[in-house]
Structures are given as C-alpha cells and as structure tokens.
Amino acid sequence: MTVSAAESPLFEFLLRQGDNALVLGHRTSEWCGVAPVLEEDIALANMALDLIGQTQLWLGYAGEVEGAGRTADDLAFLREVYDYRNLLMLEVPNGDFGRTQMRQFLFDAFQVPWLTRLQDSKNTRVAEIAAKCLKEALYHLDRSSHTVIALGDGTEESNRRMTDALTFLWPYSGEVFKDDATDNAMAEAGVAPLPSDLHSVWLETVERVLTEACLTLPEGAFAQSGGRTGFRHTEHLGHMLAVMQTLQRSYPGATW
Amino acid sequence: MTHENEWPLWEVFIRGQHGMSHRHVGSLHAADAEHAIRNARDVYTRRNEGVSIWVVEAGKITASNPSDKGPLFDPARDKVYRHPTFYDIPEEVGKM
C-alpha cells in the first residue's frame, strides 16, 4: 500500500530521494568486476556503496514517516515498479563506461546544489541526512566531472562515445526540474526548495564541464518524465528490480 | 590493450590517522597526477586509512641497485655504536 502524494507529500518526497540513490546505486554496482580497469572498478563499487548508504537513510526515514512499520529494506525490496519514484535517467541501462560516467555527472551536478540547499531544511532529519550525503556527492561530482572531461577531450573514439552518451541521456536530464504538487508542498513547508530553482546553477555546471570536455550541449528542451511521479517508468526498471529483489522475493525475510 | 595505451604507474604514499609520516602503501595506474590521487583515494583509503595522500610516478623514482647492496650497506653492519640503544632516553623527550 502506497500512501498517495496528497496524503503524505513528505513520504513521497523521501521516496524520491531514496529511490534515486537506490536505483543509481544498483546500476552502478552492476559494474563490479567488469569495469574497464581495476582502479575504476573499485571507485565505482565505492560509489555504489555510498549510494546504498544514502538509500538506507532516506528510505529508513520514509518508513518512519509512513508509520506502517515498513523498514528501508521493505521499501527497497518489496515494492513494485509503479511504486518507485526515481528519475528515469537513473534506471536506464548503463550502456558503456562513458555513458555511465555521463549519467553520474548529470546527476551529481544536480545533487550537489540540491543537497546543499536541503541542509537548510526546516525538517531537521532531512537537513541531517542531506549534510551527510553532500560530502559523498561532492566527491562523486569531482570524480565524474573529471572523467567526463578526460573522455570528452580524449581520443576520437572516446569523444564520439561521450557525444553519443550525451545525446542519449539529454532528454532524460530535464525530468528532475518539473515541479509538481509534491514539490510545491515541500517548498511551502520549508522542507526543500523547488527543483526548478536549481536549473540555472545545474546548467552552469553542465555547460562549464561539457565545454572543457569538448562536447556540445544538445539543443531541445523536451524532457522525458514519469519516473519521479511514478506515472510511467521505462521498461528497464522492472528487469532491474527482478535482479535486485530476487533474494527477498525467493526467500522472504532472509537475513544475514 | 597495447602498452602505449596503458596509463602510467604511480606509487602511492598515505599518511595514516596516527602516523607521523607518509608510508608507501602500493601502486596503481592513472592518466595523470590528479587522477592518481582520486584513484588512490578509492583504492587505498576506503577503510578510513588516511588523512593525506602523495602520489609519484613510478618512473620518476631513482632506486638503489640491488647488486650494489654490499658496498652500500655492509659497511654499516659492524658500527653498532651508531645505534642509540646505549642511551637511556628520558621520558619527557617523548616519541623520537
């Protein structure tokens, strides 16, 4: 049973934060053991673990707010596709290493100013979680932006791959800025700023890094949507959850 | 992958939480010095080992030749008086 946004915008808001971290964390973990070089493999595993740690904080609090006795694990492993509230960009398959890095960068460029603002939330739990996550996000942004620059400004092939990655991801990148009723409720309550308020600072970071990476900002403001509202996920999320949730689905309540 | 396409090797030195100087912890591959620092952070400090990282390109290190071991190190062997073990160090001096 999901509480509707109208009933508890805070719960909805927390699911969005937690599901973004969870889905990106799981996607990132898919690189474990198969990344192009050992050093990147370990870095990606670290990043995945950071994100799963953030998930525990957000979804743990979401469970408390919901008040139905669900834990972070219950929310992560026992919800269906349509209950997820993550951005579509984070659930699409990793693609090549370049696309994974480009996605991480586009997300980090939002997360850093977003979490910075959330530190001033009137909800102290939100402020505390944001402060903890921000330290990790700052490192992630440092790493992903340098990697995007290195690959964009690298060889002919790496530049072509990064251009392809950007072309593929760009239509997904605008979803986060589409304010809705939940965002308005959070802004009114002083819990969070409106995501649309952060668009210009996000774009500034993206333009600066892409320019240094010899990549061209794609034109067009069309943005896919439906992930963070749960209205319509891509076909890929169900497949991802099938893998991610298989243990809890097969052996309910299993612990270690 | 051909050799020319490989990132150079870097030696990594970490200063630990309580350590007084940087210690060699291992090596890794990276495209440049900044990249090496980030890789070192991820490879060698994930269990909270360090507070400071140094990296140096392995090729930039000049090492003593193993075959020079005799002339370099043997003469010090019979000069036990160079060891400070014959002195009592006052406690107030602390760690040396």
Side-chain angles (χ1 to χ4, degrees):
Chain A
M1 271 289 287
T2 306
V3 179
S4 78
E7 285 174 76
S8 176
L10 180 60
F11 177 63
E12 184 79 8
F13 167 83
L14 293 169
L15 285 186
R16 291 177 181 185
Q17 312 314 310
D19 289 349
N20 280 347
L22 175 59
V23 171
L24 183 59
H26 185 81
R27 280 295 187 210
T28 306
S29 78
E30 291 174 356
W31 278 105
C32 198
V34 294
V37 292
L38 175 78
E39 290 80 358
E40 295 297 339
D41 200 297
I42 295 174
L44 284 162
N46 286 347
M47 202 137 63
L49 285 169
D50 286 349
L51 290 163
I52 299 304
Q54 296 179 12
T55 306
Q56 288 176 324
L57 298 173
W58 291 120
L59 292 188
Y61 183 35
E64 287 175 41
V65 167
E66 185 192 33
R70 288 203 283 184
T71 64
D73 280 347
D74 293 335
L75 289 169
F77 295 114
L78 300 174
R79 276 181 303 151
E80 305 287 345
V81 172
Y82 44 79
D83 292 328
Y84 270 77
R85 295 292 182 267
N86 59 282
L87 298 166
L88 298 176
M89 181 172 80
L90 308 180
E91 74 192 38
V92 294
N94 290 333
D96 61 12
F97 178 75
R99 194 163 100 189
T100 300
Q101 293 294 331
M102 180 63 81
R103 170 173 66 190
Q104 185 71 43
F105 164 67
L106 293 173
F107 181 67
D108 295 338
F110 173 77
Q111 277 305 89
V112 166
W114 175 246
L115 293 169
T116 302
R117 292 283 297 275
L118 287 187
Q119 288 186 116
D120 301 324
S121 174
K122 280 187 183 164
N123 180 315
T124 50
R125 284 286 294 280
V126 169
E128 284 164 12
I129 295 171
K132 189 161 189 298
C133 297
L134 178 61
K135 285 183 192 164
E136 293 171 345
L138 282 165
Y139 179 72
H140 296 173
L141 177 61
D142 181 57
R143 189 166 186 103
S144 62
S145 52
H146 278 92
T147 310
V148 164
I149 291 166
L151 291 174
D153 187 17
T155 64
E156 206 175 300
E157 183 189 352
S158 71
N159 179 276
R160 176 178 54 72
R161 283 176 180 248
M162 292 313 268
T163 303
D164 291 348
L166 191 57
T167 307
F168 177 86
L169 292 168
W170 192 251
Y172 293 105
S173 67
E175 181 186 3
V176 69
F177 302 110
K178 289 187 173 181
D179 302 338
D180 67 0
T182 301
D183 298 313
N184 290 328
M186 290 298 97
E188 267 168 42
V191 174
L194 285 174
S196 60
D197 282 357
L198 300 177
H199 185 257
S200 59
V201 61
W202 173 80
L203 195 61
E204 211 174 287
T205 307
V206 170
E207 278 182 327
R208 178 172 48 77
V209 169
L210 292 187
T211 303
E212 213 179 319
C214 307
L215 296 166
T216 315
L217 197 73
E219 286 180 19
F222 171 76
Q224 296 280 359
S225 63
R228 68 197 295 269
T229 60
F231 174 68
R232 184 180 54 216
H233 282 280
T234 68
E235 68 192 276
H236 307 292
L237 182 61
H239 293 277
M240 195 202 92
L241 293 183
V243 174
M244 192 185 87
Q245 298 181 333
T246 183
L247 196 136
Q248 278 302 320
R249 298 288 190 190
S250 310
Y251 304 94
T255 56
W256 62 5
Chain B
M1 197 186 266
T2 61
H3 187 68
E4 307 90 76
N5 283 343
E6 272 184 29
W7 293 333
L9 190 68
W10 299 77
E11 299 298 332
V12 181
F13 300 81
I14 305 273
R15 187 157 76 82
Q17 306 284 346
H18 307 293
M20 301 181 56
S21 57
H22 288 71
R23 286 183 57 198
H24 184 236
V25 293
S27 53
L28 48 74
H29 290 90
D32 57 39
E34 291 295 311
H35 189 211
I37 291 275
R38 285 194 296 276
N39 282 350
R41 181 265 191 197
D42 276 306
V43 176
Y44 290 112
T45 69
R46 47 202 308 272
R47 295 181 187 87
N48 205 22
E49 291 95 335
V51 293
S52 169
I53 301 171
W54 286 352
V55 292
V56 59
E57 211 176 327
K60 297 276 171 65
I61 294 177
T62 308
S64 63
N65 192 331
S67 63
D68 290 343
K69 227 172 93 188
L72 282 179
F73 306 120
D74 283 354
R77 278 185 154 186
D78 56 358
K79 299 180 175 65
V80 289
Y81 49 85
R82 288 179 182 170
H83 290 271
T85 49
F86 302 103
Y87 307 93
D88 291 326
I89 299 170
E91 261 182 38
E92 303 84 70
V93 172
K95 198 169 181 183
M96 282 188 72

